[in-house]
């Protein structure tokens, strides 16, 4: 496991769960079903931002949660005080004793941190006692749902930025803990650095920053402020030039840049945080180049997202070398939740018995779950490009390389010419991690590699092509049979 330092805001706490997980756990225990084994899978129904892919993130945090899971004396004291609606204590003291002695023995298989994934397919498969599977559900959904949506947003932004992107959304993130993991996910998704110092320490992330307008306002003149900053940070000097008049700010930055050259130093960059970024960046570039400071970079910020950046770079001809993105990245502004779900797909009374597949049925086909102990197989063509993903039941090995659309069995795709790769691999065995967790920058490489294997039509910001994810024929037949049985049609 990678080092993470102190736990922030109770993020690895056993009480990061919904109350009904604990009441169900007590009901399982009271019914004598606590040792019943179950298989659950975690998935989502739609890609975020109306896009063509999702970056899986939060696998590492999920693994840490499982490894560190335990109920402290303080947790149990709190639970012993919780009351039912009639005023009686909600939890049986004997059940709380069971929780005090609980050690997770779950097995979890998962995709890699940073893997590109798609709707309906399992990101995690969790197997073990039904009580334990249930009690960790909320935390797993929280870890993976939030971090995946931010990592996906970062990947979309970085795909069009044509230069490094710094994340600095902490001040508007959903609380300190939300900001911490948003910064981590942003780096996984492709950002080059974060302004979040706590995230830099906890996750060993590159940190970066400039200065605020208040720095300039604290001096008698902008030029005086720039000079003082350059003296303090001669090797890391980026000047914010739009406090009063942007182009006059650029002129003052040029003066300081020349003074730094005389001391054997270099001005790193200027930053523009307001106004017409395209026009101002072109004017600033001309002034810098004309002054012999062509090496000075131009950084832009100001409520940016992938659509604004794409317009600036491809339509408006902006002369911007790097980007600072805050609110719209750290909050996943236009879709702040992925909508992950966690469904039981198989059950058995004991380890010696055969698995019994099960599913949840809905009038909305997209809300119906899949049965079986589920796995995912990805197929790559001769050019190492993804051509389709197959969901199948481990207990029913695929007999052909063909996937069937679960909403329309007439839509099928032949994958026999492609090379299969398994997406789910052991992550946790008997409650302990069995594979090392990547750093954020290592996971970023996984994102980069995975996206390179995805066809460009699936990566468009608008009207992206739908990537084929289908069911193996036997799994489709199993699902249809269980649906008919549940509805009394057989």
């Amino acid at each position: 496991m990678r080092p993470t330092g102190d736990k922030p805001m109770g993020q690895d706490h056993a009480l990061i769960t919904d109350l009904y997980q604990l009441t169900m756990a007590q009901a399982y225990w009271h019914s004598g079903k606590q040792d019943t084994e179950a298989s659950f899978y975690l998935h989502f129904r739609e890609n975020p931002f109306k896009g063509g892919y999702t970056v899986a993130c939060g696998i590492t945090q999920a693994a840490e949660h499982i490894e560190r899971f335990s109920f402290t004396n303080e947790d149990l004291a709190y639970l012993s005080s919780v009351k039912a609606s009639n005023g009686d204590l909600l939890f049986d003291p004997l059940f709380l004793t069971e929780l005090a002695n609980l050690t997770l023995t779950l097995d979890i298989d998962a995709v890699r941190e940073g893997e590109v994934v798609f709707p309906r397919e399992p990101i995690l498969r969790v197997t073990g006692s039904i009580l334990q599977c249930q009690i960790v559900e909320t935390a797993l959904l929280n870890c993976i749902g939030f971090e995946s949506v931010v990592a996906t947003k970062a990947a979309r932004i970085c795909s069009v930025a044509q230069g490094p992107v710094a994340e600095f959304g902490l001040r508007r993130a959903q609380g300190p803990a939300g900001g911490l993991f948003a910064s981590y996910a942003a780096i996984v998704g492709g950002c080059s650095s974060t302004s979040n110092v706590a995230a830099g320490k906890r996750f060993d992330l590159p940190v970066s920053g400039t200065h605020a307008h208040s720095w300039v306002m604290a001096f008698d003149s902008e030029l005086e402020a720039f000079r003082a900053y350059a003296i303090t940070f001669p090797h890391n000097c980026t000047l914010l030039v739009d406090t009063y008049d942007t182009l006059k700010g650029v002129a003052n930055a040029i003066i300081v840049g020349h003074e730094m050259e005389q001391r054997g130093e270099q001005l790193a960059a200027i930053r523009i945080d307001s106004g017409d970024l395209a026009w101002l960046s072109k004017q600033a570039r001309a002034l810098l180049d004309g002054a012999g400071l062509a090496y000075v970079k131009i950084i832009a910020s100001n409520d940016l997202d992938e659509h604004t950046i794409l317009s600036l770079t491809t339509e408006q001809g902006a002369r911007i070398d790097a980007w600072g993105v805050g609110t719209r990245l750290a909050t996943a502004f236009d879709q702040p939740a992925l909508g992950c779900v966690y469904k039981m797909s198989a059950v058995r009374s004991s380890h010696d018995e055969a698995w019994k597949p099960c599913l949840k049925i809905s009038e909305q086909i997209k809300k119906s779950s899949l049965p079986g102990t589920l796995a995912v197989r990805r197929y790559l063509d001769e050019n190492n490009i993804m051509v389709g993903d197959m969901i199948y039941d481990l207990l029913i090995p695929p007999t052909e390389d063909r996937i069937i659309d679960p909403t329309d069995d007439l839509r099928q795709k032949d994958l026999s010419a492609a090379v299969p790769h398994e997406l789910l691999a052991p992550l946790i065995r008997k409650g302990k991690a069995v594979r090392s967790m990547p750093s954020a920058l290592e996971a970023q490489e996984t994102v980069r590699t995975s996206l390179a294997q995805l066809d460009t039509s699936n990566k468009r910001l608008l009207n992206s092509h739908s990537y084929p994810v289908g069911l193996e024929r036997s799994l489709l037949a199993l699902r249809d049979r269980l649906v008919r049985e549940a509805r009394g049609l057989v």
Side-chain angles (χ1 to χ4, degrees), residues 7 12-23 25-26 65-80 82 91 95-104 106 131-137 139:
K7 301 177 186 178
D12 298 312
H13 206 287
L15 294 188
I16 301 297
T17 191
D18 292 305
L19 181 64
Y20 84 141
Q21 308 289 11
L22 296 173
T23 55
Q26 177 166 291
H65 182 85
I66 299 299
E67 281 207 312
R68 295 178 175 184
F69 188 96
S70 66
F71 287 94
T72 66
N73 291 334
E74 291 80 3
D75 299 339
L76 297 168
Y78 168 72
L79 293 176
S80 69
V82 176
F91 292 107
F95 171 67
L96 295 181
T97 299
E98 291 290 320
L99 293 187
N101 298 320
L102 178 65
T103 298
L104 294 186
L106 295 170
L131 183 152
Q132 293 186 24
C133 289
Q134 204 81 71
I135 215 167
V136 300
E137 172 184 356

Side-chain angles (χ1 to χ4, degrees), residues 14-337:
L15 294 188
I16 301 297
T17 191
D18 292 305
L19 181 64
Y20 84 141
Q21 308 289 11
L22 296 173
T23 55
M24 282 192 293
Q26 177 166 291
Y28 285 133
W29 169 80
H30 190 264
S31 303
K33 294 181 69 67
Q34 70 270 24
D35 294 325
T36 296
E37 291 198 348
S39 182
F40 285 75
Y41 73 105
L42 186 152
H43 67 292
F44 59 94
R45 297 181 178 122
E46 295 180 351
N47 287 317
F49 318 115
K50 299 180 180 179
Y53 64 88
T54 299
V55 173
C57 191
I59 308 299
T60 295
Q61 187 192 354
E64 290 173 353
H65 182 85
I66 299 299
E67 281 207 312
R68 295 178 175 184
F69 188 96
S70 66
F71 287 94
T72 66
N73 291 334
E74 291 80 3
D75 299 339
L76 297 168
Y78 168 72
L79 293 176
S80 69
S81 71
V82 176
K83 294 183 179 180
S85 57
N86 68 349
D88 292 343
L89 294 177
L90 184 62
F91 292 107
D92 187 323
L94 293 177
F95 171 67
L96 295 181
T97 299
E98 291 290 320
L99 293 187
N101 298 320
L102 178 65
T103 298
L104 294 186
T105 56
L106 295 170
D107 291 346
I108 299 179
D109 294 78
V111 300
R112 297 179 298 171
E113 187 87 300
E115 188 75 68
V116 169
V117 292
F118 303 96
R120 298 190 301 272
E121 62 189 20
I123 300 174
L124 293 181
R125 184 180 65 247
V126 182
T127 307
S129 82
I130 195 167
L131 183 152
Q132 293 186 24
C133 289
Q134 204 81 71
I135 215 167
V136 300
E137 172 184 356
T138 302
L140 295 179
L141 288 168
N142 179 271
C143 294
I144 292 170
F146 175 67
E147 292 185 41
S148 294
V149 78
V150 174
T152 305
K153 188 67 168 177
R156 287 166 60 86
I157 290 170
C158 293
S159 72
V160 299
Q162 299 180 15
V165 176
E167 178 275 322
F168 51 68
L170 175 59
R171 62 185 57 198
R172 296 193 180 98
Q174 272 78 345
L180 190 76
F181 289 102
S183 296
Y184 167 79
I187 297 294
V188 171
C191 289
S192 60
S193 63
T194 178
S195 68
N196 188 336
V197 179
K201 172 181 177 289
R202 179 173 167 83
F203 301 117
D204 192 25
L205 306 179
V207 292
S208 64
T210 57
H211 63 75
H213 293 110
S214 56
W215 170 263
V216 176
M217 296 162 64
F219 289 81
D220 290 336
S221 71
E222 183 177 63
L223 181 58
E224 182 185 354
F226 285 178
R227 281 172 168 158
Y229 200 78
I231 291 294
T232 305
F233 297 104
H235 305 298
N236 189 40
C237 185
T238 296
L239 301 175
L240 181 60
V241 297
D242 70 326
T243 302
Y244 304 119
D245 180 287
T246 300
L247 296 184
K248 288 181 180 178
V250 175
N252 284 328
I254 288 171
I255 292 172
V256 172
H258 286 152
E259 293 173 351
M260 293 180 72
E261 286 183 334
Q262 292 172 7
R263 298 194 297 267
E265 303 157 0
Q266 284 191 342
L267 175 62
I270 63 168
R271 178 162 74 97
I272 306 172
D273 189 49
S274 62
D276 186 329
L277 295 179
W279 186 83
L280 288 171
S281 67
K282 285 185 276 191
Q283 296 299 310
R285 184 75 273 157
L287 290 171
L288 290 166
D289 291 354
L293 299 178
Y295 58 82
V296 176
K297 305 297 184 184
I298 298 175
I299 302 172
S301 52
N302 188 25
D303 287 334
L304 299 173
D305 64 10
E306 65 270 41
H307 302 291
T308 304
I309 292 174
L310 181 63
S311 174
L312 285 166
T313 55
T314 63
E315 298 174 1
Q316 302 178 53
R319 300 296 302 277
I320 297 168
D321 303 295
W323 309 84
V325 185
T327 303
R328 294 178 181 272
L329 171 54
T331 65
F333 191 80
D334 41 343
Q335 187 179 327

